[in-house]
Amino acid sequence: MKKLTRWLAFLLAATMLFTLTACSSGEDEADDEDEFVVDTSVEDLYLATAGIASDYVMFTVDGIEVTAGHFLYWLAYNIAYLEYYYYYYYDIELDLSEDSDLTAALIEDARNAAALTVLTVYRTQELGYTLDEDSLQELDDTIAATAESYGGEEEFQEALRTLGLNEEVYYLINASSYYYELLKMEMYDGHPTEEEANAYIDEEDILYAKHILILTVDSDYEALSDEESAERLALAESILEQLQNSEDLEADFDALMNEYSEDTGLSTYPDGYLFTADEIVSEFEEATRELEYGEVSGIVEHVGEDGESYSGYHIILRLDPFDSPDFAEQWQDAQMETLLYGWRDDAEYIYSDAYNDLDVVTFYARFAAYQEAFTAEAEEEESSDSSETNS
């Protein structure tokens, strides 16, 4: 489930054009190569950075062609994402030259993303399902709105050029999310049977619960005084007592949850949380597992990792996942994951020499240098325009 969600997030991110950015690490590597010169007027970015024309077929998946412009977009996207992640969460500069296993994994991830994109579109069409006029219009409107957000068609085309994307690949990436939803509707529409649901719940180890959270930290997540914490515990105990004396537990739980819970996710998840192992704090998960459906816990204390953040008292109501309004869609997405990953893994791949010989480190160093040059050029133009306006 996590892998498919990540893939769809990439596709959706692509529709917003684009969070793809590169850090400065690549520029120094690129500057060491005397023959490499950044030319921001370049029309084919991937020819300039990888030595492969964008329309060159990098590989085929069950006979469907995947061009360099498509594959290398995903490769650059994945590296930029990982680079940002390393820097933001660990303050570490990503060094691809130090880990051949990592570069191989990044190539495989890019291949998989491109393969899933084309397979979703072409296999859905082969099954006889086509987007209706409303969906096609919505897709066109989405792309038009993106172009408008960049200031118009000319600026939009410039944005595509700086990422090495042509309109055909960009349209395909966006269309794949529409075909995904179409295929899901045609093949897995509706709620699963009880038998299907129970099998899925057992297989994926899915839990479903609501909770009332009484925090023992202030708005800055600093620990409350002992006296204040004691007052918070007394409140939690009072709420629990009301629930233990309730004649309509679920209704009273909802009322008290909406009145007292300090969970910041309540507005987003008013019907509770579907989760599985290791997706939520251990105290919450363990306490939920000890309950039967429809049973409420005692007071469960959680202390944040630093002893302060998100610390508080939970009162948990365990529910049947089948009753969650989000369950049917989650089950449908799970079936789609099985289907699409099956297509991907069972497909026949034929790779070009360029695919097999690709130098990921050099490619991304050059790509990063280009992104920095494009950014600097755009900032210079913006500064110049601003100066002219103010003069």
Side-chain angles (χ1 to χ4, degrees), residues 53-87:
S54 291
D55 60 358
Y56 177 82
V57 178
M58 288 294 279
F59 65 90
T60 61
V61 49
D62 278 347
I64 306 169
E65 295 181 347
V66 174
T67 64
H70 189 180
F71 167 74
L72 292 174
Y73 165 75
W74 287 116
L75 181 60
Y77 190 111
N78 289 349
I79 297 173
Y81 180 91
L82 187 62
E83 193 170 39
Y84 170 80
Y85 184 86
Y86 271 43
Y87 177 79

Side-chain angles (χ1 to χ4, degrees), residues 168-205:
E168 182 180 355
V169 171
Y170 180 69
Y171 187 90
L172 179 68
I173 291 173
N174 281 273
S176 63
S177 62
Y178 285 81
Y179 277 96
Y180 174 91
E181 292 299 329
L182 171 63
L183 185 62
K184 181 170 70 172
M185 179 184 68
E186 294 290 350
M187 300 194 69
Y188 305 109
D189 189 28
H191 214 284
T193 66
E194 187 173 353
E195 182 179 353
E196 289 172 329
N198 288 334
Y200 173 63
I201 290 167
D202 291 342
E203 181 179 349
E204 298 296 327
D205 189 24

Side-chain angles (χ1 to χ4, degrees), residues 212 234-253 256 291 294-300 314-317:
I212 298 170
L235 173 60
E237 289 173 339
S238 172
I239 294 169
L240 179 60
E241 183 178 2
Q242 293 179 65
L243 292 170
Q244 290 172 335
N245 294 323
S246 172
E247 295 182 358
D248 189 345
L249 181 60
E250 291 194 27
D252 288 341
F253 192 96
L256 291 166
L291 300 172
E295 186 177 4
V296 70
S297 72
I299 294 172
V300 178
H314 299 270
I315 301 172
I316 302 166
L317 173 63

